[in-house]
Amino acid sequence: GNSVTQMQGQVTLSEEEFLFINCTYSTTGYPTLFWYVQYPGEGPQLLLKVTTANNKGSSRGFEATYDKGTTSFHLQKASVQESDSAVYYCVLGDRYAQGLTFGLGTRVSVFP
Amino acid sequence: EAAVTQSPRSKVAVTGGKVTLSCHQTNNHDYMYWYRQDTGHGLRLIHYSYVADSTEKGDIPDGYKASRPSQENFSLILELASLSQTAVYFCASSAYRVEQYFGPGTRLTVL
């Protein structure tokens, strides 16, 4: 089956610092990889998507890079703001699977 | 305007009672899903549907039933609620099996 691993449970940063979240995945299918972000009291919302055809994606200042060789999918942002505080989920989608496979999430806290 | 809505947003139920959670989408999507979110487990798939009047089991279907009376509506039913079903429940929709759009969630507490 599919699986996703996010080792960082929590990241604490000051504004304008660099954010990097590591994610690894396992699948036997044809994956599409996502980063979802969840703010308190809300549902997860799509941040960006990367397919195997294009190994990078970007949105709202965030960038994600997919490496098929190491089965890794990292999220980064050069300069975070307090408004980026949220939980970030690495998510695996597979057109042959029933639904999305979520990692456990990384709580990012940004302080001014 | 929100494309996936859920009701109620919060509910307290008694053990052994029946609970129905409702989801409505205006995305015109064929696929709809129910997930539960627990601390330490992320989101896990309970049931899904790809067409009205048909539902499929996800990864953790035990103790739950689902109903899809129309393309827009998808319900999750707990016939005999238990303490272990205390969680936040999310509904999602998608045009095909991959990219999904989530509702705001329902916080269920079973006492």
Side-chain angles (χ1 to χ4, degrees), chain A residues 34 36 38 43 49 89 100, chain B residues 35 37 90 98-100 103:
Chain A
F34 306 91
Y36 277 77
Q38 185 176 24
K49 174 175 86 171
Y89 289 98
L100 299 176
Chain B
Y35 293 85
Q37 183 176 45
F90 289 100
V98 191
E99 191 168 321
Q100 297 179 17

